[in-house]
Amino acid sequence: MKRRGNFDDAFRAWASRPAGVDVRRLVSAVRGQDHAPALGIRLRPVWATLAAVAFVLASGASWWSRTQAPRETPPPLHATGPIVPSPESDVVVVWIDDETPVYMFLNDATER
Amino acid sequence: MALARSEILDAGAGILTRVHDPPCCDTLSTVTSQIGDLAAARRGDPEAFGRLIEARLARLARLARSIVGDADAADVTQESCLACWRHLGQLDDLTKFDNWLMRIVYTTGLRRARWQRMRALVFAAPSSSDGGREPAQPAADPTDGIFVWEALSRLPARQRAVLHLTVVEGLTDSEIAATLGIRAGSVRAHRRRARETVESLWNNAS
């Protein structure tokens, strides 16, 4: 087939142009990887890849479960303990819970 | 340790089967030096590796060019050579070095071609009438090198590789199958489809 022959010739001519890769640059790039495994050492061991994949999966699952879980609305604030007037008459302590006191300082209207 | 000529030639036969450049490489001294370079490269000698690659560079670059085109061929060739260096210690059978190296270029080229396709999908200009899905029509002159790439770019990367190894390298089906790691039947199927596509483009362009 004449046409096929023409395409094949054009293909050969097109593919066979000079490589455009400098061997000296390639060797210096190879030398730059002198710890790399011509000696059979893997640059990135399998366990590192597996650990990275496991970490990504765990992070994704954690994020997804957090987005899917119903949001807990914080309970409304209310005093759990008795309102204890301090010895000074202008300070009132309100206990929100066992560890959270709220001090309210009462000023006289004349001080404003 | 001195080896008999026949022993050296036997050992080097597989290594040098497909090396066409330079043409005199089937001499005894070349075979011996190639075996020595391969052994030295496996021990971590970059100069020996450079000599091995230099003898095969044109062939590697041709395959890379046919799979990914001019723009990325040098990158793919270099990336493949570095991958070869990194994994040279894992090569069990030294007689398969050439096929192994070509396979690295092929797989690296496939990855790059996939990336090119994704890039084209993402960044395709939406103004074309067909939505940017089809590449431009091949150049009018079929003898032009631009036409060759325009035609090749219509083919899947595997078909490009099979067509390249058939037309440019002149390999048989079983050699192509061994190089690409596919069955000879698949080679024939890929080539037939590639030929059909290229011929229809060729006829339209003429």
Side-chain angles (χ1 to χ4, degrees), chain B residues 158-179:
Chain B
R158 279 189 182 78
Q159 292 182 20
R160 286 180 220 164
V162 168
L163 197 60
H164 169 89
L165 293 174
T166 304
V167 173
V168 180
E169 305 298 340
L171 301 191
T172 63
D173 288 356
S174 57
E175 287 170 331
I176 295 172
T179 302

Short mmCIF file of all heavy atoms in Angstrom, two decimals, chain B residues 158-179:
data_model
loop_
_atom_site.label_atom_id
_atom_site.label_comp_id
_atom_site.label_asym_id
_atom_site.label_seq_id
_atom_site.Cartn_x
_atom_site.Cartn_y
_atom_site.Cartn_z
N ARG B 158 -1.10 3.22 24.20
CA ARG B 158 -0.65 1.85 23.93
C ARG B 158 -0.55 1.59 22.43
O ARG B 158 0.38 0.94 21.96
CB ARG B 158 -1.61 0.84 24.56
CG ARG B 158 -1.36 0.63 26.02
CD ARG B 158 -2.17 -0.50 26.59
NE ARG B 158 -1.92 -0.62 28.01
CZ ARG B 158 -2.45 0.17 28.93
NH1 ARG B 158 -3.26 1.12 28.58
NH2 ARG B 158 -2.15 0.03 30.21
N GLN B 159 -1.53 2.10 21.69
CA GLN B 159 -1.50 1.89 20.23
C GLN B 159 -0.32 2.64 19.62
O GLN B 159 0.31 2.16 18.67
CB GLN B 159 -2.81 2.36 19.62
CG GLN B 159 -4.00 1.49 20.00
CD GLN B 159 -5.29 1.93 19.35
OE1 GLN B 159 -5.29 2.63 18.35
NE2 GLN B 159 -6.40 1.53 19.94
N ARG B 160 -0.03 3.83 20.17
CA ARG B 160 1.13 4.57 19.66
C ARG B 160 2.41 3.76 19.86
O ARG B 160 3.26 3.67 18.97
CB ARG B 160 1.30 5.88 20.43
CG ARG B 160 0.31 6.93 20.11
CD ARG B 160 0.60 8.16 20.95
NE ARG B 160 -0.64 8.75 21.41
CZ ARG B 160 -0.75 9.63 22.38
NH1 ARG B 160 0.32 10.04 23.02
NH2 ARG B 160 -1.91 10.11 22.73
N ALA B 161 2.53 3.17 21.06
CA ALA B 161 3.75 2.40 21.36
C ALA B 161 3.87 1.20 20.44
O ALA B 161 4.95 0.92 19.90
CB ALA B 161 3.73 1.96 22.82
N VAL B 162 2.76 0.49 20.22
CA VAL B 162 2.80 -0.69 19.35
C VAL B 162 3.14 -0.28 17.92
O VAL B 162 3.99 -0.90 17.26
CB VAL B 162 1.45 -1.43 19.40
CG1 VAL B 162 1.37 -2.48 18.30
CG2 VAL B 162 1.25 -2.08 20.76
N LEU B 163 2.51 0.80 17.45
CA LEU B 163 2.79 1.25 16.09
C LEU B 163 4.25 1.68 15.95
O LEU B 163 4.91 1.38 14.95
CB LEU B 163 1.86 2.41 15.73
CG LEU B 163 1.71 2.74 14.26
CD1 LEU B 163 1.16 1.56 13.49
CD2 LEU B 163 0.82 3.95 14.04
N HIS B 164 4.76 2.35 16.97
CA HIS B 164 6.16 2.79 16.95
C HIS B 164 7.10 1.59 16.87
O HIS B 164 8.01 1.56 16.04
CB HIS B 164 6.47 3.60 18.21
CG HIS B 164 7.93 3.86 18.39
ND1 HIS B 164 8.55 4.96 17.84
CD2 HIS B 164 8.91 3.14 18.99
CE1 HIS B 164 9.84 4.91 18.12
NE2 HIS B 164 10.08 3.82 18.83
N LEU B 165 6.88 0.61 17.74
CA LEU B 165 7.80 -0.53 17.78
C LEU B 165 7.72 -1.34 16.49
O LEU B 165 8.69 -1.96 16.08
CB LEU B 165 7.51 -1.41 19.00
CG LEU B 165 7.81 -0.74 20.34
CD1 LEU B 165 7.37 -1.61 21.50
CD2 LEU B 165 9.29 -0.41 20.47
N THR B 166 6.55 -1.30 15.83
CA THR B 166 6.41 -2.00 14.56
C THR B 166 7.11 -1.24 13.43
O THR B 166 7.95 -1.78 12.71
CB THR B 166 4.92 -2.16 14.19
OG1 THR B 166 4.27 -2.83 15.26
CG2 THR B 166 4.76 -2.96 12.92
N VAL B 167 6.73 0.04 13.30
CA VAL B 167 7.16 0.81 12.12
C VAL B 167 8.59 1.32 12.27
O VAL B 167 9.41 1.17 11.37
CB VAL B 167 6.19 1.99 11.88
CG1 VAL B 167 6.69 2.88 10.77
CG2 VAL B 167 4.81 1.47 11.56
N VAL B 168 8.88 1.90 13.41
CA VAL B 168 10.18 2.57 13.57
C VAL B 168 11.27 1.58 13.98
O VAL B 168 12.36 1.59 13.43
CB VAL B 168 10.08 3.71 14.61
CG1 VAL B 168 11.41 4.40 14.78
CG2 VAL B 168 9.02 4.72 14.17
N GLU B 169 10.97 0.70 14.93
CA GLU B 169 12.00 -0.21 15.41
C GLU B 169 12.01 -1.54 14.65
O GLU B 169 12.98 -2.30 14.77
CB GLU B 169 11.82 -0.48 16.91
CG GLU B 169 11.77 0.78 17.77
CD GLU B 169 13.05 1.60 17.73
OE1 GLU B 169 14.10 1.04 17.35
OE2 GLU B 169 13.00 2.80 18.04
N GLY B 170 10.92 -1.84 13.96
CA GLY B 170 10.88 -3.06 13.17
C GLY B 170 10.86 -4.34 13.99
O GLY B 170 11.39 -5.37 13.57
N LEU B 171 10.24 -4.31 15.17
CA LEU B 171 10.19 -5.50 16.01
C LEU B 171 9.06 -6.42 15.57
O LEU B 171 8.07 -5.99 14.98
CB LEU B 171 9.97 -5.12 17.47
CG LEU B 171 11.00 -4.19 18.13
CD1 LEU B 171 10.76 -4.13 19.63
CD2 LEU B 171 12.41 -4.63 17.85
N THR B 172 9.22 -7.70 15.88
CA THR B 172 8.15 -8.66 15.61
C THR B 172 7.11 -8.59 16.73
O THR B 172 7.34 -7.96 17.78
CB THR B 172 8.71 -10.09 15.57
OG1 THR B 172 9.23 -10.39 16.87
CG2 THR B 172 9.81 -10.22 14.54
N ASP B 173 5.97 -9.25 16.49
CA ASP B 173 4.90 -9.22 17.49
C ASP B 173 5.37 -9.76 18.85
O ASP B 173 5.05 -9.20 19.90
CB ASP B 173 3.71 -10.04 17.02
CG ASP B 173 2.97 -9.36 15.88
OD1 ASP B 173 3.36 -8.22 15.54
OD2 ASP B 173 2.04 -9.96 15.34
N SER B 174 6.12 -10.86 18.81
CA SER B 174 6.54 -11.45 20.09
C SER B 174 7.56 -10.55 20.78
O SER B 174 7.56 -10.45 22.02
CB SER B 174 7.13 -12.84 19.85
OG SER B 174 8.19 -12.76 18.94
N GLU B 175 8.40 -9.87 20.02
CA GLU B 175 9.35 -8.94 20.64
C GLU B 175 8.62 -7.74 21.25
O GLU B 175 8.96 -7.29 22.35
CB GLU B 175 10.37 -8.46 19.59
CG GLU B 175 11.38 -9.52 19.20
CD GLU B 175 12.21 -9.10 18.00
OE1 GLU B 175 11.72 -8.33 17.14
OE2 GLU B 175 13.36 -9.56 17.90
N ILE B 176 7.62 -7.25 20.53
CA ILE B 176 6.84 -6.13 21.07
C ILE B 176 6.11 -6.57 22.33
O ILE B 176 6.07 -5.85 23.34
CB ILE B 176 5.83 -5.62 20.02
CG1 ILE B 176 6.56 -5.03 18.82
CG2 ILE B 176 4.90 -4.58 20.63
CD1 ILE B 176 5.66 -4.69 17.65
N ALA B 177 5.55 -7.78 22.29
CA ALA B 177 4.84 -8.30 23.46
C ALA B 177 5.78 -8.39 24.66
O ALA B 177 5.42 -8.02 25.79
CB ALA B 177 4.23 -9.65 23.14
N ALA B 178 6.99 -8.87 24.42
CA ALA B 178 7.95 -9.00 25.52
C ALA B 178 8.36 -7.63 26.03
O ALA B 178 8.56 -7.43 27.23
CB ALA B 178 9.18 -9.78 25.05
N THR B 179 8.50 -6.67 25.12
CA THR B 179 8.92 -5.33 25.54
C THR B 179 7.85 -4.63 26.35
O THR B 179 8.14 -4.00 27.37
CB THR B 179 9.26 -4.48 24.29
OG1 THR B 179 10.29 -5.14 23.56
CG2 THR B 179 9.74 -3.10 24.68
#
